[in-house]
Amino acid sequence: MGGMLRIDGSMGEGGGQVVRSSLSLAALTGTPIRVENIRAGRRKPGLLRQHLTALTGAAVVCDAEVEGASLGSRAITFTPGPVRGGSHSFAVGTAGSATLVCQTVLPILLGASVASELTFEGGTHNPMAPPFDFFDQLFLPLLRRMGFSVHAELGRAGFYPAGGGRFSVTTEPAAALTPLELLQSVASPRVQACIVQARLPAHVAQRERDVILEALELAPEAVSVRKVRSPGPGNAVVAWVSDGDDVVELCTAFGERGRPAEIVAQDVVDQVRAYLAADPPVGEHLADQLLLPLVLGGGAFRTGPLSSHTRTNIEVIRMFLGESAIVVEEAGDDRCVRAPAGGLADGYG
Ligand code: AMP
């Protein structure tokens, strides 16, 4: 185990992702870390419930010693031990994103030599976070393509502000990994959508469906309405682009009080159009989230100009693994992001 790595939580994008990625990488590399200035520039600085749950969750799965694990904490110390599979539950306790907690804990367990059964509670459909559908339809299939054995199931949806969602994730020890390769343009894009809704009048979903059908010129069977169980009301419009059998992008907009259904649906329409108009196969959100899997198994993807989240996540990864862990090549607006094959996963399990 090396010396303590000090990380400035206000670096780059300066949000929760610096903390979450640092925790995953600390556990994966056996590196003790001190993170300071956590979310320093944010309206409510320090650890919110979601980040605190990610911290305690990461600590549970690698038997870490932790200092500073309290709400609002602006500095933490995390000294990881050995990774432990098994059954674990993580509850955010508010509508904070449970998928972000999962994306912290999951990389740690993906290469473990024992299986895990995980339950996450909190928000499953949050603005500014990957909705469960993004995680389940886009992110996890890419991990499976790399050879990881991981599956998720939604029990109950959790929307802001009531929360109370729940999903489970199972992992099994991975066989040999295949480097991820997402470089080709999307050859035959096909768009589908689903209006996810809980405890709201049926006309909301109908109006959203009508906008999507017309604006994206889709066949009626391409847009479904899914009523989900949830403790509180909620509405997410989810549209995804597939190429053959693979989902390559998933766009989401959220209904909220005072925001007309037509505007919510149009938001998703605009996102889908923007993705289809741009050539790179990997969209902005997927790009920052794929970086950790990429250093685990190696590979390359092509995306557009890097977001602040992606640039910051690359910086965090380089702090743990060195400059060559991620290489970015530029060609016009395109960015090819590469990690050497046989990456970090070689060293664990
Ligand atoms: P942070 O702002 O540091 O808490 O990180 C937010 C994370 O949520 C990043 O990984 C974003 O890419 C991701 N994210 C935000 N909005 C979406 C969205 N609509 N779909 C998928 N992921 C998202």
Side-chain angles (χ1 to χ4, degrees):
M1 189 179 285
M4 173 110 34
L5 182 64
R6 298 184 97 84
I7 296 159
D8 180 355
S10 70
M11 67 192 269
E13 203 275 329
Q17 192 180 55
V18 175
V19 180
R20 293 190 306 268
S21 294
S22 298
L23 291 169
S24 305
L25 287 159
L28 284 165
T29 58
T31 309
I33 56 170
R34 169 115 180 127
V35 189
E36 290 167 344
N37 298 323
I38 292 174
R39 301 182 63 255
R42 298 298 199 257
R43 196 169 53 84
K44 279 192 194 166
L47 298 177
L48 301 181
R49 278 247 162 244
Q50 176 241 114
H51 315 110
L52 183 57
T53 313
L55 170 61
T56 51
V60 165
V61 299
C62 70
D63 211 6
E65 280 174 30
V66 180
E67 288 166 29
S70 58
L71 273 182
S73 172
R74 297 189 195 194
I76 58 170
T77 303
F78 181 84
T79 307
V83 174
R84 303 193 297 200
S87 293
H88 303 286
S89 290
F90 312 95
V92 179
T94 62
S97 170
T99 50
L100 286 177
V101 174
C102 179
Q103 284 191 334
T104 312
V105 171
L106 186 59
I108 303 172
L109 291 171
L110 279 178
S113 50
V114 281
S116 318
E117 284 176 27
L118 314 171
T119 307
F120 297 88
E121 290 184 2
T124 59
H125 291 78
N126 300 59
M128 319 289 280
F132 179 81
D133 308 73
F134 184 98
F135 177 69
D136 186 44
Q137 290 188 59
L138 178 57
F139 185 74
L140 289 191
L142 290 171
L143 293 186
R144 288 195 287 269
R145 211 196 283 180
M146 296 176 79
F148 292 111
S149 177
V150 52
H151 294 88
E153 193 175 345
L154 183 68
R156 219 165 44 207
F159 296 94
Y160 181 81
R166 179 192 298 154
F167 62 94
S168 56
V169 176
T170 54
T171 67
E172 279 176 36
L177 296 182
T178 310
L180 185 67
E181 193 170 300
L182 291 169
L183 298 169
Q184 303 300 322
S185 305
V186 178
S188 5
R190 176 162 153 248
V191 180
Q192 288 165 273
C194 179
I195 318 294
V196 183
Q197 180 161 309
R199 296 174 182 259
L200 288 173
H203 69 82
V204 174
Q206 274 317 323
R207 284 156 57 206
E208 288 169 343
R209 185 167 181 270
D210 289 348
V211 170
I212 296 209
L213 281 173
E214 193 183 328
L216 293 174
E217 297 178 22
L218 299 178
E221 61 275 14
V223 187
S224 58
V225 174
R226 182 156 45 108
K227 286 193 184 153
V228 290
R229 287 199 305 140
S230 180
N235 169 231
V237 180
V238 178
W240 59 97
V241 181
S242 322
D243 194 14
D245 290 335
D246 301 323
V247 175
V248 290
E249 175 63 313
L250 189 142
C251 307
T252 317
F254 293 90
E256 56 185 277
R257 198 182 278 275
R259 194 176 186 216
E262 289 74 12
I263 303 286
V264 178
Q266 187 61 44
D267 182 345
V268 165
V269 168
D270 294 344
Q271 292 180 47
V272 170
R273 284 185 177 147
Y275 175 77
L276 294 175
D279 180 56
V282 172
E284 174 187 329
H285 296 303
L286 184 60
D288 77 66
Q289 293 168 51
L290 272 185
L291 293 170
L292 276 185
L294 204 68
V295 291
L296 285 177
F301 65 80
R302 187 162 61 85
T303 187
L306 304 186
S307 69
S308 170
H309 271 99
T310 300
R311 289 195 307 272
T312 308
N313 223 9
I314 290 175
E315 250 188 276
V316 172
I317 287 169
R318 286 177 172 160
M319 287 183 74
F320 282 87
L321 302 175
E323 281 296 303
S324 59
I326 297 264
V327 178
V328 181
E329 294 152 15
E330 300 191 8
D333 276 349
D334 279 13
R335 303 290 179 270
C336 177
V337 180
R338 283 183 195 282
L344 188 53
D346 269 0
Y348 73 172

